[in-house]
């Protein structure tokens, strides 16, 4: 299914709901005020979630007055894709907002859910972060600024939806320390700083003084954030609004530390969620149902008594339109800043399944932003000294497994991959199938190379020719639990998203080399891209591979040329790839240049022309190509 067809068939325009004033005049129960208190980069490491040593008195009180959702999850391990999901009620990979810091225009029929609230008479404010991966329309908010507040509404009887975002727990704050202990103590008063030896370190971190210091700092920041929550709740009390205000507290993703944030382990996607709704939720309740960020938009509309647009992909877990609980939550990892990867995950209440579509990419790809902080630097120091032990070594493995399966009850830190243990074969098969269904149902665009994505989203894809290519592959192999023939059949179809997922999967099977060579002549440049990249990683040494890759390098489409260049470099034909790579470096498309720079990094500085090309990229105005160039050249960059 094409993306625009998926969105258009999902639902039409939403009729405007009655205004709040009309409801009041008719004697109906007034709709609730809604307050979102959000923070950044923390896992459920709060006292009310059972975290030993955490000091979170205000959040503990909020939880005692409302409900703790102990199985709440973001859809990505990083904020911006997740925020696009929160505001639209749609998965980033459906919208094309999955890559970090991309800019993707919203289709006209998709709206920020706050627009529906405004049409129903709500006063909607955002203070102040958007970070949706698209420019929010003017009609999304009555006010979106650092001064935005429910107190600014013209009529104090008007219901409001107010969002406040606190950044004190962001990765950038965790990675730095206050200028002195006195500043820290003052901000923590009346609480004291967390003692370095009073907190248990996760098993994937080495126990060093540096890491303990920053781990304690992380908890100190959570306490400071907790003070802010208390102040916001006090404002509700001062305005006599607490009894008719639905309060949500949550984080945008997991802890802002290495191998937590950006990843699909629970430490990256499981978030604290506390909901207080006087008279609707029993105080002190613990709710263990699975909740995803994609559920938040329909839930808020349901609580406001408004209809839910058919295109929204989540479920309402509260309010008049509450629907049955979900069986699974899903999450995705795509480009994180300057580094690409394709990972998909599915989780039920007990088991987590992760599929690594690019196992040749290591976990510890060099990302300039987190590398500037002392915890990442300390991990690299200890690893270089050979002092890591056990689970601490996993992050520095040269490759990733194709699949990961974890028993979250027995192994909440996701250390022991049980994917090959026969006693869990049924769970593995069940989760594999559920993930495949989700990838189809959500129209996942993550397998379209980013350089092609904007054209696809804009509907400029020409589509398949009348006569489709034919692929054959005799193989007894299976991958992701299905026969290789299943993927060959998908590749022989006309559904582009399925074809791309199929070629990406076949590229993981050495037996598929003949098919991959044939795919270098496919009508779809994205199929050519993945086939060429796979041939490079599989180290195809067939006599004709150089000529086939050179032919693909001569195509007009950027993605085909970039894939061919990557394949040539990986197969050792660097001289053949260089003219094409240098040509792409002059292209106006930032993501084409990013891909070219990544390939130059693979080629290595010792090859003639690479260093000069990367030095030139250092003058590029775009951040991401410059970051990879700086990493390859061993230079610092901000």
């Amino acid at each position: 299914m094409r993306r625009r067809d998926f969105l258009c068939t999902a639902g039409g325009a939403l009729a405007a709901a009655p205004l709040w004033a009309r409801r009041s005049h008719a004697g109906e129960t007034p709709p609730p005020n809604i307050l979102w208190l959000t923070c950044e980069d923390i896992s459920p490491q709060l006292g009310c979630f059972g975290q030993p040593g955490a000091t979170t008195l205000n959040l503990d009180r909020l939880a005692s007055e409302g409900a703790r959702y102990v199985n709440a999850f973001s859809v990505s391990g990083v904020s911006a894709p997740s925020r696009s999901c929160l505001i639209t009620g749609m998965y980033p990979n459906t919208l094309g907002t999955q890559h970090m810091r991309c800019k993707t225009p919203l289709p006209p029929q998709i709206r920020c859910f706050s627009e529906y609230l405004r049409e129903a008479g709500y006063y909607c404010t955002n203070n102040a972060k958007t970070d949706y991966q698209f420019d929010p329309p003017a009609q999304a908010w009555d006010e979106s600024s650092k001064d935005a507040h429910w107190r600014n509404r013209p009529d104090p009887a008007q219901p409001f939806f107010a969002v406040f975002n606190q950044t004190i727990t962001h990765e950038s704050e965790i990675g730095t320390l206050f200028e002195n202990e006195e500043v820290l103590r003052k901000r923590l008063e009346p609480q004291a700083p967390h003692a370095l030896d009073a907190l248990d370190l996760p098993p994937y971190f080495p126990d060093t003084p540096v890491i303990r210091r920053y781990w304690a700092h992380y908890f100190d920041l959570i306490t400071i954030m907790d003070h802010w929550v208390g102040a916001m709740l006090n404002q509700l009390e001062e305005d006599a609004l607490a009894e008719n205000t639905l309060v949500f507290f949550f984080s945008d993703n997991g802890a802002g530390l290495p191998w937590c944030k950006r990843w699909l382990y629970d430490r990256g996607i499981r978030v604290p969620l506390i909901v207080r709704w006087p008279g609707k939720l029993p105080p002190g309740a613990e709710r263990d149902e699975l909740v995803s960020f994609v559920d938040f938009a329909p839930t808020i509309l349901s609580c406001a008594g408004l209809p839910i647009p058919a295109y929204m992909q989540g479920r309402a877990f509260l309010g008049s339109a509450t629907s049955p609980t979900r069986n699974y939550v899903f999450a995705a990892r795509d480009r994180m800043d300057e580094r690409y990867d394709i990972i998909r995950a599915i989780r039920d209440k007990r088991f987590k399944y992760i599929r690594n579509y690019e196992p040749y990419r290591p976990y510890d790809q060099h990302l300039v932003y987190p590398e500037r902080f002392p915890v990442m630097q300390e991990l690299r120091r200890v690893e270089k000294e050979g002092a890591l032990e056990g689970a601490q070594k996993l992050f520095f493995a040269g490759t990733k497994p194709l699949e990961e399966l974890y028993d979250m009850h027995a192994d909440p830190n996701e250390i022991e991959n049980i994917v090959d243990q026969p006693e869990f074969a049924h769970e593995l098969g069940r989760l594999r199938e559920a993930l495949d269904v989700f990838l189809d149902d959500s129209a996942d665009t993550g397998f379209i190379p980013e350089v092609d994505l904007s054209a696809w989203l804009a509907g400029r894809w020409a589509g398949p020719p009348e006569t489709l290519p034919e692929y054959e592959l005799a193989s007894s192999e299976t991958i992701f639990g299905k026969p290789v023939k299943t993927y060959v059949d998908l590749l022989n179809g006309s559904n582009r998203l399925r074809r791309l997922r199929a070629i990406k999967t076949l590229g993981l099977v050495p037996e598929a080399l003949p098919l991959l060579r044939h795919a270098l002549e496919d009508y779809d440049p994205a199929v050519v891209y993945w086939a060429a990249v796979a041939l490079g990683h599989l180290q195809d040494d067939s006599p004709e591979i150089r000529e086939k890759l050179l032919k693909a390098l001569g195509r007009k489409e950027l993605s085909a040329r970039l894939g061919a260049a990557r394949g040539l470099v990986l197969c050792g034909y660097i001289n053949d790839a260089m003219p094409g790579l240098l040509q792409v470096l002059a292209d106006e498309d930032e993501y084409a240049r990013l891909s070219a720079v990544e390939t130059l990094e693979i080629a290595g500085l010792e090859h003639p022309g690479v260093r000069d090309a990367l030095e030139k990229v250092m003058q590029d105005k775009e951040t991401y190509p410059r970051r990879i160039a700086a990493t390859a050249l061993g230079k610092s960059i901000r």
Side-chain angles (χ1 to χ4, degrees):
M1 181 180 295
R2 296 190 55 161
R3 172 180 179 267
R4 63 173 181 268
D5 296 331
F6 175 92
L7 298 175
C8 288
T9 58
L14 179 69
L19 294 176
W20 62 274
R22 293 180 183 177
R23 289 184 178 182
S24 176
H25 183 73
E28 298 177 17
T29 302
N33 303 309
I34 303 164
L35 173 62
W36 275 12
L37 300 176
T38 73
C39 68
E40 308 202 14
D41 297 357
I42 73 166
S43 297
Q45 284 151 334
L46 313 175
C48 53
F49 280 83
Q51 175 64 47
T55 306
T56 52
L57 302 183
N58 294 294
L59 286 166
D60 296 351
R61 176 170 61 88
L62 182 66
S64 72
E65 297 167 348
R68 288 176 298 112
Y69 285 80
V70 297
N71 283 318
F73 296 87
S74 64
V75 294
S76 171
V78 74
S79 63
S82 292
R83 289 175 186 274
S84 79
C85 175
L86 285 166
I87 197 64
T88 62
M90 298 191 68
Y91 287 103
N93 294 74
T94 302
L95 288 175
T97 57
Q98 64 267 31
H99 297 297
M100 187 62 177
R101 293 287 178 269
C102 65
K103 278 293 184 183
T104 305
L106 275 187
Q109 68 272 32
I110 307 302
R111 304 171 69 188
C112 298
F113 78 85
S114 56
E115 295 179 59
Y116 301 122
L117 292 171
R118 290 191 69 208
E119 288 177 357
Y122 271 78
Y123 182 77
C124 296
T125 65
N126 179 59
N127 187 325
K129 189 170 184 177
T130 52
D131 206 18
Y132 303 144
Q133 308 271 58
F134 56 84
D135 294 324
Q139 61 270 27
W141 302 104
D142 288 281
E143 185 179 6
S144 181
S145 73
K146 293 182 179 180
D147 298 318
H149 201 291
W150 71 76
R151 288 175 170 172
N152 298 338
R153 66 198 193 281
D155 185 340
Q158 184 179 8
F160 64 81
F161 170 54
V163 178
F164 292 85
N165 186 77
Q166 173 59 261
T167 61
I168 188 64
T169 54
H170 186 264
E171 173 183 20
S172 57
E173 302 288 346
I174 297 170
T176 56
L177 298 172
F178 293 116
E179 54 267 34
N180 56 59
E181 283 293 312
E182 186 58 34
V183 172
L184 173 63
R185 291 182 181 277
K186 186 173 182 179
R187 296 201 66 176
L188 283 171
E189 287 178 353
Q191 280 78 42
H194 291 81
L196 301 189
D197 58 354
L199 297 166
D200 293 332
L201 280 175
Y204 42 82
F205 286 152
D207 193 346
T208 72
V210 169
I211 289 180
R212 277 207 169 270
R213 186 182 187 192
Y214 282 88
W215 186 245
H217 183 58
Y218 165 56
F219 279 86
D220 288 339
L221 296 177
I222 291 176
T223 298
I224 294 170
M225 180 272 296
D226 179 76
H227 292 174
W228 167 78
V229 170
M232 295 304 302
L233 294 176
N234 286 341
Q235 289 183 31
L236 274 185
E237 295 284 353
E238 291 167 3
D239 294 353
L241 294 170
E243 290 304 309
N244 190 37
T245 300
L246 167 61
V247 178
F248 271 53
F249 166 81
F250 59 95
S251 172
D252 58 357
N253 48 251
L257 292 159
W259 214 20
C260 299
K261 181 178 179 178
R262 300 181 180 88
W263 294 98
L264 304 186
Y265 303 104
D266 271 20
R267 53 188 177 265
I269 63 172
R270 183 168 170 247
V271 299
L273 172 61
I274 301 172
V275 180
R276 186 181 74 183
W277 196 3
K280 300 289 186 178
L281 279 173
E286 177 179 292
R287 303 281 290 263
D288 72 343
E289 65 197 85
L290 292 167
V291 172
S292 168
F293 274 7
V294 77
D295 300 328
F296 281 36
T299 295
I300 294 302
L301 295 179
S302 172
C303 292
L306 301 178
I308 299 170
Y311 65 74
M312 288 188 176
Q313 295 169 291
R315 57 169 289 269
F317 57 89
L318 288 171
S320 59
T322 299
S323 57
T325 57
R326 57 170 59 247
N327 295 318
Y328 306 105
V329 293
F330 305 91
R333 175 181 167 115
D334 294 275
R335 178 174 56 72
M336 294 292 168
D337 295 339
E338 70 267 31
R339 298 294 182 178
Y340 286 99
D341 209 342
I342 301 178
I343 306 175
R344 299 293 181 264
I346 179 174
R347 190 196 195 282
D348 62 16
K349 288 185 180 180
R350 179 173 175 183
F351 292 97
K352 164 84 69 65
Y353 170 66
I354 297 175
R355 184 178 291 175
N356 294 302
Y357 281 97
E358 299 191 272
Y360 43 79
R361 294 185 184 272
Y363 292 107
D364 70 325
Q365 288 192 87
H366 191 286
L367 284 168
V368 165
Y369 187 72
E371 293 283 349
R372 70 180 62 174
F373 299 126
V375 173
M376 190 68 238
Q377 295 167 6
E378 177 73 352
L379 289 175
R380 292 211 179 277
R381 181 192 68 79
V382 178
E383 192 274 336
K384 186 176 181 180
E385 292 179 357
L388 296 175
E389 299 177 350
Q392 301 162 12
K393 296 180 180 179
L394 294 175
F395 183 61
F396 294 97
T399 59
K400 302 189 292 287
L402 276 178
E403 300 177 283
E404 301 173 59
L405 181 67
Y406 299 100
D407 181 342
M408 304 306 300
H409 289 178
D411 180 24
N413 288 301
E414 294 162 277
I415 300 302
E416 183 184 3
N417 183 4
I418 57 174
V419 73
D420 293 324
Q421 295 187 17
E423 60 266 38
F424 298 107
H426 172 74
E427 308 298 342
L428 175 61
R430 175 176 60 84
L431 293 170
R432 279 170 166 169
E433 182 61 29
L435 180 59
D436 285 336
V437 170
F438 170 73
L439 294 175
D440 276 341
D441 288 350
S442 64
D444 192 319
T445 62
F447 298 84
I448 300 176
E450 191 171 14
V451 69
D452 282 349
L453 189 55
S454 60
W456 168 260
L457 298 177
R460 296 196 299 269
W461 165 245
E466 290 185 9
T467 302
L468 296 174
E470 292 185 9
Y471 291 93
E472 295 182 1
L473 181 63
S475 173
S476 59
E477 290 286 313
T478 63
I479 186 165
F480 303 143
K482 292 183 177 180
V484 164
K485 184 180 183 303
T486 301
Y487 302 101
V488 177
D489 290 343
L490 292 174
L491 190 59
N492 280 321
S494 59
N495 182 305
R496 190 188 195 200
L497 298 182
R498 290 179 179 176
R499 292 189 84 232
L500 294 182
R501 204 163 77 240
I503 193 67
K504 191 75 183 76
T505 304
L506 289 166
L508 302 170
V509 183
E511 278 192 343
L513 281 171
L515 180 148
L516 295 169
R517 295 178 199 128
H518 181 34
L520 289 178
E521 299 175 356
D522 197 270
Y523 66 88
D524 188 337
V527 169
V528 176
Y529 175 89
W530 288 123
V533 169
L535 288 164
H537 282 288
L538 292 172
Q539 296 290 291
D540 188 358
D541 58 358
S542 58
E544 74 272 21
I545 190 58
R546 177 174 174 270
E547 293 306 316
K548 282 183 171 289
L549 288 170
L550 283 173
K551 184 177 179 181
L553 189 65
R555 288 181 60 153
K556 64 179 181 179
E557 305 98 339
L558 274 171
S559 56
R561 287 154 51 197
L562 285 164
R566 180 76 55 89
L568 285 166
V569 167
L570 289 168
C571 288
Y573 302 112
I574 300 176
N575 287 339
D576 293 319
M578 285 299 291
L581 289 171
L582 295 177
Q583 185 181 38
V584 173
L585 287 182
D587 195 273
E588 64 180 13
D589 190 297
E590 175 186 358
Y591 302 113
R593 292 197 299 279
L594 178 62
S595 181
V597 171
E598 189 180 49
T599 300
L600 287 169
E601 181 187 38
I602 295 170
L605 295 178
E606 66 279 3
H607 191 83
V610 171
R611 181 180 292 275
D612 289 344
L614 292 177
E615 289 285 3
K616 188 174 181 180
V617 172
M618 291 296 294
Q619 309 305 315
D620 199 334
K621 64 180 181 179
E622 275 80 17
T623 301
Y624 292 152
R626 287 175 56 226
R627 287 185 183 184
I628 291 185
T631 297
L633 293 167
K635 294 186 175 183
S636 297
I637 188 175
R638 288 290 176 181

